[in-house]
């Protein structure tokens, strides 16, 4: 439970920095840190599919926002400030890595020991026992994606394709129509 409070504190600090900073690129990075913290919380809540979707959306949103920010806000870092920023970044990443390793070391099962084997009422056991009877599909993976979790799969695909479409629109080189051209 302590990891949730640490992540919540991290996200609150990142939100305050994002609101208070004058540098647009720093604000975008802080917003990305908030999303990364949220995805870690989903991961600790044992929702890895939502965590993966959150990370994919965050990465694509960061690409879009950084691309939009770089064209407006040029910041040059030089001298000791660059070294200090690098050291602080490495230390923060090391602390996050060590905290994740400590959490995963206590909660992750050993390799080859599936978690659903320990919990008889787990959804995966239900899928294995009743998948063929409920769906009629002999491929249980397809029956889980296309029958049991069809709305979840549809939502994830919609979010993913929307994010890709947004990235393509933002990252394209030139627009097809110039501003001074009249509408057809």
């Amino acid at each position: 439970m302590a990891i949730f409070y640490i992540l919540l504190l991290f996200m609150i600090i990142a939100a305050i920095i994002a609101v208070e900073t004058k540098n647009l690129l720093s604000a975008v990075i802080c917003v990305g840190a908030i999303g990364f913290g949220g995805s870690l919380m989903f991961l600790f809540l044992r929702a890895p599919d939502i965590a993966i979707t959150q990370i994919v959306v965050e990465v694509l949103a960061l690409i879009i926002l950084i691309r939009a920010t770089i064209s407006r806000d040029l910041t040059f870092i030089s001298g000791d400030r660059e070294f200090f920023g690098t050291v602080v970044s490495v230390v923060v990443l090391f602390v996050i890595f060590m905290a994740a390793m400590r959490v995963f070391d206590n909660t992750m099962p050993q390799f080859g020991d599936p978690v659903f084997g320990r919990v008889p009422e787990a959804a995966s056991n239900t899928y294995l026992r009743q998948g063929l009877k409920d769906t009629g599909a002999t491929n249980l993976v397809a029956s889980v994606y296309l029958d049991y979790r069809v709305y979840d799969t549809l939502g994830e695909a919609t979010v993913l394709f929307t994010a890709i479409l947004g990235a393509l629109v933002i990252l394209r080189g030139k627009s097809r129509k110039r501003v001074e051209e009249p509408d057809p």
Side-chain angles (χ1 to χ4, degrees):
M1 195 64 178
I3 192 70
F4 290 109
Y5 292 119
I6 293 170
L7 282 172
L8 187 62
L9 181 66
F10 171 73
M11 292 168 66
I12 290 172
I13 290 171
I16 291 171
I17 292 172
V19 170
E20 294 295 328
T21 185
K22 302 287 184 209
N23 189 337
L24 198 54
L25 186 58
S26 297
V28 168
I29 291 171
C30 287
V31 169
I34 294 168
F36 181 70
S39 64
L40 282 177
M41 289 183 97
F42 285 128
L43 190 62
F44 291 130
L45 290 171
R46 299 179 190 261
D49 54 338
I50 298 174
I52 291 170
T53 304
Q54 175 74 21
I55 287 175
V56 168
V57 170
E58 281 298 323
V59 166
L60 291 174
L62 274 180
I63 290 170
I64 293 169
L65 291 174
I66 287 175
R67 172 76 169 122
T69 302
I70 286 176
S71 65
R72 300 188 73 206
D73 184 27
L74 296 177
T75 302
F76 299 100
I77 299 172
S78 63
D80 294 336
R81 191 170 174 200
E82 183 178 355
F83 177 74
F84 178 73
T86 303
V87 169
V88 169
S89 299
V90 168
V91 169
V92 168
L93 287 175
F94 181 74
V95 168
I96 290 172
F97 176 75
M98 292 306 292
M101 290 301 295
R102 182 167 174 84
V103 169
F104 286 136
D105 191 38
N106 293 335
T107 59
M108 295 295 284
Q110 295 295 320
F111 185 75
D113 183 25
V115 174
F116 62 85
R118 294 187 225 154
V119 182
E121 65 271 2
S124 55
N125 287 331
T126 303
Y127 298 154
L128 290 173
R129 283 192 309 265
Q130 299 178 352
L132 181 61
K133 185 176 75 176
D134 289 347
T135 65
T138 55
N139 185 343
L140 286 179
V141 174
S143 71
V144 168
Y145 279 119
L146 300 176
D147 280 322
Y148 288 116
R149 300 182 59 184
V150 68
Y151 292 120
D152 186 39
T153 303
L154 180 64
E156 290 171 354
T158 303
V159 167
L160 181 64
F161 286 120
T162 304
I164 290 172
L165 184 63
L168 288 176
V169 168
I170 296 293
L171 296 177
R172 70 180 177 180
K174 288 178 132 182
S175 63
R176 292 184 184 159
K177 180 182 153 197
R178 296 183 180 192
V179 175
E180 60 270 4
E181 290 180 10
D183 289 332

